[in-house]
Amino acid sequence: MKAKIHLIAAARPNFMKIAPLYHALIEEPWAQTELVHTGQHYDANMSDAFFRDLGLPQPDIHLGVGSGTHAEQTAAVMVAYEKVLRESQPDMVVVVGDVNSTIACTLAAAKVTYDAKRLAEPGRPKLPMSRPVIAHLEAGLRSFDRTMPEEVNRLATDVLADLLWTPSPDADENLRREGATEDKIVRVGNIMIDSLEMMRKQIEAEAYFVELGVKPKHYGVVTLHRPSNVDNAENLRALCALLQDVSNKIEIVFPVHPRTRKNLEQAGLYDTLRENRAIHLLEPANYVRFMNLVFNCRFVLTDSGGVQEETTYLGVPCFTMRANTERPITVSQGTNQLCNLDNVKARIDAVLGATTSKRQVPDLWDGKTALRVVASIKEHLCA
Ligand code: UD1
Protein backbone atom coordinates (compact mmCIF):
# COMPACT_ATOMS: atom_id res chain seq x y z
CA MET A 1 0.00 0.00 0.00
CA LYS A 2 1.26 3.47 -0.84
CA ALA A 3 1.47 6.57 1.32
CA LYS A 4 -1.38 8.87 0.31
CA ILE A 5 -0.36 12.52 0.04
CA HIS A 6 -2.67 15.46 -0.57
CA LEU A 7 -1.12 18.49 -2.28
CA ILE A 8 -3.27 21.56 -1.64
CA ALA A 9 -3.46 24.18 -4.39
CA ALA A 10 -5.77 27.16 -4.09
CA ALA A 11 -4.66 30.48 -5.50
CA ARG A 12 -2.36 31.74 -8.23
CA PRO A 13 0.89 31.88 -6.18
CA ASN A 14 0.36 28.28 -4.98
CA PHE A 15 0.52 26.62 -8.37
CA MET A 16 4.25 27.32 -8.93
CA LYS A 17 4.96 25.83 -5.50
CA ILE A 18 2.88 22.69 -5.99
CA ALA A 19 3.92 21.85 -9.58
CA PRO A 20 7.58 20.84 -9.03
CA LEU A 21 6.61 18.78 -6.00
CA TYR A 22 3.79 17.07 -7.91
CA HIS A 23 6.15 16.16 -10.76
CA ALA A 24 8.80 14.82 -8.35
CA LEU A 25 6.32 12.85 -6.22
CA ILE A 26 4.56 11.02 -9.04
CA GLU A 27 7.94 9.44 -9.88
CA GLU A 28 8.05 7.81 -6.43
CA PRO A 29 6.68 4.24 -6.29
CA TRP A 30 5.83 4.56 -2.57
CA ALA A 31 3.69 7.68 -2.99
CA GLN A 32 0.07 8.09 -4.09
CA THR A 33 -0.29 11.78 -4.85
CA GLU A 34 -3.67 13.52 -4.96
CA LEU A 35 -4.03 17.09 -6.15
CA VAL A 36 -6.65 19.08 -4.23
CA HIS A 37 -7.80 22.45 -5.64
CA THR A 38 -9.86 24.49 -3.16
CA GLY A 39 -11.14 26.86 -5.88
CA GLN A 40 -10.03 30.03 -4.07
CA HIS A 41 -8.94 31.29 -7.48
CA TYR A 42 -11.21 30.19 -10.30
CA ASP A 43 -10.86 32.50 -13.35
CA ALA A 44 -9.24 30.72 -16.29
CA ASN A 45 -6.30 33.14 -16.29
CA MET A 46 -5.83 32.89 -12.49
CA SER A 47 -5.93 29.09 -12.33
CA ASP A 48 -6.39 26.85 -15.43
CA ALA A 49 -3.71 28.71 -17.39
CA PHE A 50 -1.20 27.95 -14.64
CA PHE A 51 -2.17 24.28 -14.50
CA ARG A 52 -1.64 24.05 -18.26
CA ASP A 53 1.69 25.91 -18.27
CA LEU A 54 3.09 23.90 -15.38
CA GLY A 55 1.98 20.51 -16.74
CA LEU A 56 -0.44 19.83 -13.88
CA PRO A 57 -3.37 17.48 -14.58
CA GLN A 58 -6.98 18.26 -13.63
CA PRO A 59 -7.18 18.19 -9.81
CA ASP A 60 -8.25 14.85 -8.31
CA ILE A 61 -10.51 16.78 -5.94
CA HIS A 62 -12.00 20.25 -6.51
CA LEU A 63 -13.67 22.00 -3.57
CA GLY A 64 -15.02 24.90 -5.68
CA VAL A 65 -15.21 27.42 -2.82
CA GLY A 66 -14.70 30.69 -4.74
CA SER A 67 -14.47 34.21 -3.27
CA GLY A 68 -15.87 35.68 -0.06
CA THR A 69 -14.88 37.53 3.06
CA HIS A 70 -11.92 36.06 4.93
CA ALA A 71 -14.15 34.17 7.35
CA GLU A 72 -16.50 32.98 4.61
CA GLN A 73 -13.71 31.74 2.39
CA THR A 74 -11.73 30.10 5.20
CA ALA A 75 -14.83 28.47 6.63
CA ALA A 76 -16.02 27.23 3.23
CA VAL A 77 -12.67 25.53 2.61
CA MET A 78 -12.69 23.98 6.10
CA VAL A 79 -16.18 22.54 5.74
CA ALA A 80 -15.50 21.16 2.26
CA TYR A 81 -12.04 19.80 3.05
CA GLU A 82 -13.11 18.15 6.30
CA LYS A 83 -15.53 15.98 4.29
CA VAL A 84 -12.75 15.09 1.85
CA LEU A 85 -10.38 14.22 4.69
CA ARG A 86 -12.93 11.84 6.22
CA GLU A 87 -13.49 10.08 2.92
CA SER A 88 -9.98 10.08 1.49
CA GLN A 89 -7.99 9.72 4.75
CA PRO A 90 -4.57 10.84 3.45
CA ASP A 91 -1.38 10.10 5.38
CA MET A 92 0.00 13.56 4.75
CA VAL A 93 -1.45 16.96 3.84
CA VAL A 94 0.99 19.38 2.18
CA VAL A 95 -0.02 23.04 2.31
CA VAL A 96 1.99 25.83 0.66
CA GLY A 97 2.39 29.58 1.08
CA ASP A 98 0.07 31.79 3.09
CA VAL A 99 -3.33 32.13 1.46
CA ASN A 100 -6.66 31.54 3.23
CA SER A 101 -6.85 27.97 1.93
CA THR A 102 -3.47 27.22 3.53
CA ILE A 103 -4.71 27.85 7.07
CA ALA A 104 -8.17 26.44 6.31
CA CYS A 105 -6.85 23.03 5.18
CA THR A 106 -4.34 23.01 8.04
CA LEU A 107 -7.08 23.60 10.61
CA ALA A 108 -9.33 20.94 9.10
CA ALA A 109 -6.48 18.40 9.03
CA ALA A 110 -5.33 19.24 12.57
CA LYS A 111 -8.75 18.41 13.99
CA VAL A 112 -9.85 15.41 11.95
CA THR A 113 -9.68 12.03 13.70
CA TYR A 114 -9.27 8.82 11.74
CA ASP A 115 -10.88 5.68 13.04
CA ALA A 116 -8.81 2.88 14.53
CA LYS A 117 -9.46 0.58 11.54
CA ARG A 118 -7.91 3.08 9.15
CA LEU A 119 -4.95 3.64 11.44
CA ALA A 120 -4.26 -0.10 11.62
CA GLU A 121 -4.52 -0.76 7.87
CA PRO A 122 -1.60 -3.02 6.91
CA GLY A 123 1.02 -1.38 4.72
CA ARG A 124 -0.12 2.17 5.52
CA PRO A 125 2.41 4.49 7.22
CA LYS A 126 2.15 4.56 11.03
CA LEU A 127 0.84 8.03 11.85
CA PRO A 128 2.16 9.72 15.01
CA MET A 129 -1.35 11.06 15.71
CA SER A 130 -4.77 9.81 14.66
CA ARG A 131 -4.78 12.35 11.83
CA PRO A 132 -2.62 13.11 8.78
CA VAL A 133 0.87 14.56 9.11
CA ILE A 134 0.62 18.27 8.19
CA ALA A 135 3.56 19.72 6.27
CA HIS A 136 3.97 23.40 5.39
CA LEU A 137 6.09 24.31 2.39
CA GLU A 138 7.45 27.90 2.66
CA ALA A 139 7.23 27.85 6.47
CA GLY A 140 8.71 30.46 8.80
CA LEU A 141 8.35 33.60 6.67
CA ARG A 142 7.29 36.59 8.75
CA SER A 143 6.54 40.22 7.90
CA PHE A 144 5.81 40.97 11.60
CA ASP A 145 2.77 42.85 10.35
CA ARG A 146 -0.41 41.28 11.64
CA THR A 147 -2.59 43.66 9.64
CA MET A 148 -1.70 41.42 6.66
CA PRO A 149 -4.11 38.50 6.38
CA GLU A 150 -1.23 36.39 5.05
CA GLU A 151 0.81 36.96 8.24
CA VAL A 152 -2.08 35.61 10.32
CA ASN A 153 -2.29 32.61 7.98
CA ARG A 154 1.47 31.99 8.22
CA LEU A 155 1.58 32.18 12.03
CA ALA A 156 -1.42 29.92 12.57
CA THR A 157 -0.32 27.37 9.96
CA ASP A 158 3.18 27.05 11.40
CA VAL A 159 1.91 26.55 14.95
CA LEU A 160 -0.18 23.58 13.79
CA ALA A 161 2.08 21.97 11.16
CA ASP A 162 4.18 18.92 12.05
CA LEU A 163 6.80 19.54 9.40
CA LEU A 164 8.11 23.02 8.55
CA TRP A 165 9.95 23.22 5.22
CA THR A 166 11.74 26.56 5.06
CA PRO A 167 13.30 28.54 2.19
CA SER A 168 15.96 30.54 4.07
CA PRO A 169 17.82 30.87 7.42
CA ASP A 170 15.66 33.80 8.61
CA ALA A 171 12.65 31.49 8.41
CA ASP A 172 14.41 28.88 10.60
CA GLU A 173 15.20 31.57 13.15
CA ASN A 174 11.61 32.87 13.23
CA LEU A 175 10.30 29.37 13.88
CA ARG A 176 12.85 28.69 16.65
CA ARG A 177 11.97 31.97 18.32
CA GLU A 178 8.30 30.98 18.26
CA GLY A 179 9.12 27.68 19.94
CA ALA A 180 9.16 25.20 17.05
CA THR A 181 11.35 22.22 17.89
CA GLU A 182 14.39 21.39 15.75
CA ASP A 183 12.97 18.07 14.58
CA LYS A 184 10.18 19.92 12.75
CA ILE A 185 12.31 22.44 10.85
CA VAL A 186 13.86 21.32 7.56
CA ARG A 187 15.53 23.89 5.30
CA VAL A 188 14.69 22.78 1.77
CA GLY A 189 15.24 26.01 -0.22
CA ASN A 190 12.92 27.94 -2.52
CA ILE A 191 10.50 25.79 -4.53
CA MET A 192 9.53 28.73 -6.81
CA ILE A 193 12.98 28.51 -8.35
CA ASP A 194 12.29 24.87 -9.26
CA SER A 195 9.32 26.00 -11.34
CA LEU A 196 11.34 28.75 -12.96
CA GLU A 197 14.13 26.34 -13.94
CA MET A 198 11.65 23.64 -14.98
CA MET A 199 10.00 26.13 -17.36
CA ARG A 200 13.11 28.11 -18.41
CA LYS A 201 13.17 26.88 -22.04
CA GLN A 202 9.51 27.76 -22.60
CA ILE A 203 9.92 31.13 -20.86
CA GLU A 204 12.92 32.01 -23.03
CA ALA A 205 11.19 30.80 -26.21
CA GLU A 206 8.07 32.87 -25.49
CA ALA A 207 7.98 36.32 -27.09
CA TYR A 208 5.15 38.01 -25.23
CA PHE A 209 7.00 41.30 -24.97
CA VAL A 210 7.47 41.30 -28.77
CA GLU A 211 3.72 40.81 -29.20
CA LEU A 212 3.18 43.86 -26.97
CA GLY A 213 5.59 45.93 -29.03
CA VAL A 214 8.07 46.68 -26.23
CA LYS A 215 11.84 46.16 -26.45
CA PRO A 216 13.97 44.08 -24.02
CA LYS A 217 15.20 46.18 -21.06
CA HIS A 218 13.12 49.11 -22.29
CA TYR A 219 10.06 48.54 -20.13
CA GLY A 220 9.11 48.05 -16.49
CA VAL A 221 6.65 45.41 -15.25
CA VAL A 222 4.03 46.39 -12.67
CA THR A 223 1.96 44.02 -10.49
CA LEU A 224 -0.18 45.36 -7.64
CA HIS A 225 -2.93 43.55 -5.77
CA ARG A 226 -2.41 43.90 -1.98
CA PRO A 227 -5.42 45.39 -0.18
CA SER A 228 -3.02 47.89 1.47
CA ASN A 229 -2.20 49.29 -1.99
CA VAL A 230 -5.33 48.87 -4.04
CA ASP A 231 -8.34 48.90 -1.71
CA ASN A 232 -8.01 52.59 -0.82
CA ALA A 233 -9.04 54.91 -3.67
CA GLU A 234 -6.69 57.74 -2.63
CA ASN A 235 -3.72 55.41 -2.51
CA LEU A 236 -4.67 53.89 -5.82
CA ARG A 237 -4.92 57.36 -7.34
CA ALA A 238 -1.42 58.21 -6.10
CA LEU A 239 -0.07 54.93 -7.51
CA CYS A 240 -1.65 55.70 -10.89
CA ALA A 241 -0.08 59.18 -10.85
CA LEU A 242 3.28 57.49 -10.18
CA LEU A 243 2.81 55.16 -13.14
CA GLN A 244 1.88 58.09 -15.41
CA ASP A 245 5.02 59.89 -14.24
CA VAL A 246 7.33 56.88 -14.75
CA SER A 247 5.81 56.21 -18.19
CA ASN A 248 7.30 59.53 -19.37
CA LYS A 249 10.71 57.82 -19.16
CA ILE A 250 10.03 54.14 -19.82
CA GLU A 251 7.11 52.04 -21.05
CA ILE A 252 5.11 50.11 -18.48
CA VAL A 253 3.56 46.66 -18.81
CA PHE A 254 0.87 46.05 -16.19
CA PRO A 255 -1.05 42.74 -15.99
CA VAL A 256 -3.99 43.73 -13.79
CA HIS A 257 -5.18 41.44 -10.98
CA PRO A 258 -9.02 41.11 -10.75
CA ARG A 259 -9.11 42.84 -7.34
CA THR A 260 -7.06 45.76 -8.71
CA ARG A 261 -9.10 46.03 -11.89
CA LYS A 262 -12.35 46.19 -9.96
CA ASN A 263 -10.97 48.96 -7.74
CA LEU A 264 -9.43 50.91 -10.65
CA GLU A 265 -12.75 50.81 -12.46
CA GLN A 266 -14.71 51.87 -9.38
CA ALA A 267 -12.36 54.83 -8.86
CA GLY A 268 -12.63 55.80 -12.54
CA LEU A 269 -8.89 55.26 -13.02
CA TYR A 270 -8.82 52.32 -15.40
CA ASP A 271 -9.74 54.23 -18.54
CA THR A 272 -7.30 57.06 -17.74
CA LEU A 273 -4.43 54.58 -17.52
CA ARG A 274 -5.58 52.83 -20.69
CA GLU A 275 -5.49 56.08 -22.66
CA ASN A 276 -1.75 56.35 -22.00
CA ARG A 277 0.02 54.67 -24.93
CA ALA A 278 3.14 54.08 -22.84
CA ILE A 279 1.18 51.98 -20.34
CA HIS A 280 0.11 48.51 -21.48
CA LEU A 281 -2.79 47.29 -19.34
CA LEU A 282 -3.20 43.52 -19.69
CA GLU A 283 -5.33 40.69 -18.38
CA PRO A 284 -3.48 38.62 -15.73
CA ALA A 285 -0.79 36.72 -17.63
CA ASN A 286 -0.17 32.97 -17.38
CA TYR A 287 3.09 31.77 -15.80
CA VAL A 288 5.25 31.48 -18.93
CA ARG A 289 4.12 34.80 -20.37
CA PHE A 290 4.51 36.65 -17.08
CA MET A 291 7.99 35.24 -16.50
CA ASN A 292 8.91 36.11 -20.08
CA LEU A 293 8.03 39.72 -19.23
CA VAL A 294 10.13 39.59 -16.06
CA PHE A 295 13.13 37.94 -17.76
CA ASN A 296 13.34 40.81 -20.25
CA CYS A 297 12.31 43.89 -18.30
CA ARG A 298 14.41 46.70 -16.84
CA PHE A 299 12.71 46.59 -13.42
CA VAL A 300 9.64 45.31 -11.61
CA LEU A 301 7.35 47.38 -9.38
CA THR A 302 5.27 45.02 -7.25
CA ASP A 303 3.64 44.10 -3.97
CA SER A 304 3.71 40.36 -4.62
CA GLY A 305 5.73 38.01 -2.41
CA GLY A 306 6.83 35.53 -5.07
CA VAL A 307 7.92 38.21 -7.54
CA GLN A 308 10.39 39.58 -4.95
CA GLU A 309 12.04 36.15 -5.00
CA GLU A 310 11.97 35.61 -8.75
CA THR A 311 13.58 39.00 -9.41
CA THR A 312 16.28 38.31 -6.81
CA TYR A 313 17.07 35.01 -8.51
CA LEU A 314 17.22 36.66 -11.93
CA GLY A 315 19.09 39.78 -10.80
CA VAL A 316 16.27 42.09 -11.95
CA PRO A 317 15.81 45.29 -9.87
CA CYS A 318 12.62 45.06 -7.82
CA PHE A 319 10.73 47.90 -6.11
CA THR A 320 8.29 46.53 -3.56
CA MET A 321 5.49 48.90 -2.58
CA ARG A 322 5.25 47.69 0.99
CA ALA A 323 6.47 48.81 4.41
CA ASN A 324 7.78 45.33 5.21
CA THR A 325 8.51 41.98 3.65
CA GLU A 326 8.31 38.42 4.90
CA ARG A 327 11.19 37.71 2.52
CA PRO A 328 14.02 39.88 3.95
CA ILE A 329 16.71 37.84 2.19
CA THR A 330 15.54 39.43 -1.09
CA VAL A 331 16.60 42.79 0.37
CA SER A 332 19.78 41.74 2.23
CA GLN A 333 21.14 39.53 -0.56
CA GLY A 334 18.93 40.23 -3.55
CA THR A 335 17.74 43.06 -5.76
CA ASN A 336 14.68 44.04 -3.77
CA GLN A 337 14.04 47.48 -2.23
CA LEU A 338 11.10 48.28 0.02
CA CYS A 339 9.58 51.53 -1.23
CA ASN A 340 6.82 54.02 -0.59
CA LEU A 341 5.21 56.75 -2.66
CA ASP A 342 7.73 59.32 -1.38
CA ASN A 343 10.90 57.52 -2.43
CA VAL A 344 10.02 55.13 -5.24
CA LYS A 345 10.34 57.56 -8.16
CA ALA A 346 13.91 58.56 -7.22
CA ARG A 347 14.86 54.90 -6.82
CA ILE A 348 13.43 53.98 -10.21
CA ASP A 349 15.33 56.91 -11.75
CA ALA A 350 18.55 55.65 -10.13
CA VAL A 351 18.08 52.19 -11.66
CA LEU A 352 17.25 53.68 -15.07
CA GLY A 353 20.49 55.64 -14.89
CA ALA A 354 22.62 52.63 -13.83
CA THR A 355 24.36 50.29 -16.24
CA THR A 356 24.73 47.18 -14.08
CA SER A 357 22.65 45.32 -11.53
CA LYS A 358 23.81 42.78 -8.96
CA ARG A 359 22.96 39.10 -8.82
CA GLN A 360 23.48 37.10 -5.65
CA VAL A 361 21.45 33.94 -5.30
CA PRO A 362 20.54 32.77 -1.77
CA ASP A 363 21.69 29.33 -0.68
CA LEU A 364 19.49 26.40 -1.82
CA TRP A 365 17.60 28.48 -4.39
CA ASP A 366 18.91 25.98 -6.89
CA GLY A 367 15.98 24.27 -8.62
CA LYS A 368 16.37 21.12 -6.46
CA THR A 369 14.03 21.97 -3.60
CA ALA A 370 11.34 19.48 -4.68
CA LEU A 371 13.86 16.63 -4.39
CA ARG A 372 14.73 17.70 -0.83
CA VAL A 373 11.02 17.86 0.04
CA VAL A 374 10.44 14.38 -1.40
CA ALA A 375 13.36 13.05 0.70
CA SER A 376 11.84 14.65 3.80
CA ILE A 377 8.40 13.13 3.08
CA LYS A 378 9.96 9.71 2.55
CA GLU A 379 11.84 9.96 5.81
CA HIS A 380 8.64 10.77 7.68
CA LEU A 381 6.21 8.38 6.05
CA CYS A 382 8.39 5.44 5.06
CA ALA A 383 10.76 5.17 8.04
C1 UD1 B 1 -5.10 36.07 -2.65
C2 UD1 B 1 -4.26 35.84 -1.38
C3 UD1 B 1 -2.96 36.63 -1.49
C4 UD1 B 1 -2.24 36.32 -2.79
C5 UD1 B 1 -3.19 36.58 -3.95
C6 UD1 B 1 -2.55 36.28 -5.27
C7 UD1 B 1 -5.44 35.48 0.74
C8 UD1 B 1 -5.79 36.10 2.03
N1 UD1 B 1 -4.95 36.32 -0.20
O1 UD1 B 1 -5.46 37.46 -2.67
O2 UD1 B 1 -2.13 36.26 -0.41
O3 UD1 B 1 -1.10 37.13 -2.89
O4 UD1 B 1 -4.35 35.74 -3.79
O5 UD1 B 1 -3.40 36.56 -6.33
O6 UD1 B 1 -5.60 34.29 0.59
N2 UD1 B 1 -11.19 37.24 -8.09
C9 UD1 B 1 -11.57 37.00 -9.37
N3 UD1 B 1 -11.15 35.82 -9.93
C10 UD1 B 1 -10.42 34.90 -9.28
C11 UD1 B 1 -10.05 35.17 -7.94
C12 UD1 B 1 -10.43 36.35 -7.37
O7 UD1 B 1 -12.23 37.79 -10.02
O8 UD1 B 1 -10.09 33.84 -9.87
C13 UD1 B 1 -11.60 38.54 -7.49
C14 UD1 B 1 -12.84 38.43 -6.62
O9 UD1 B 1 -13.56 39.60 -6.78
C15 UD1 B 1 -12.28 38.38 -5.22
C16 UD1 B 1 -11.02 39.23 -5.35
O10 UD1 B 1 -10.55 39.03 -6.68
O11 UD1 B 1 -13.16 38.83 -4.27
C17 UD1 B 1 -9.95 38.89 -4.39
O12 UD1 B 1 -9.65 37.49 -4.43
P1 UD1 B 1 -9.14 36.71 -3.11
O13 UD1 B 1 -8.80 35.30 -3.44
O14 UD1 B 1 -10.10 36.94 -1.99
O15 UD1 B 1 -7.86 37.50 -2.73
P2 UD1 B 1 -6.63 37.98 -3.59
O16 UD1 B 1 -6.60 39.45 -3.56
O17 UD1 B 1 -6.60 37.28 -4.94
Side-chain angles (χ1 to χ4, degrees), residues 11-13 40-43 46 67-68 70 73 98-100 149-150 153 225-226 257-259 262:
R12 186 169 65 174
Q40 179 169 343
H41 282 176
Y42 43 85
D43 282 354
M46 298 291 283
S67 301
H70 285 277
Q73 193 171 55
D98 54 18
V99 300
N100 285 342
E150 292 81 2
N153 295 341
H225 74 281
R226 295 272 165 211
H257 185 281
R259 173 192 284 277
K262 198 160 69 181

Side-chain angles (χ1 to χ4, degrees), residues 353-365:
T355 47
T356 55
S357 78
K358 64 170 184 174
R359 181 170 186 263
Q360 190 189 345
V361 176
D363 202 23
L364 300 184
W365 293 26

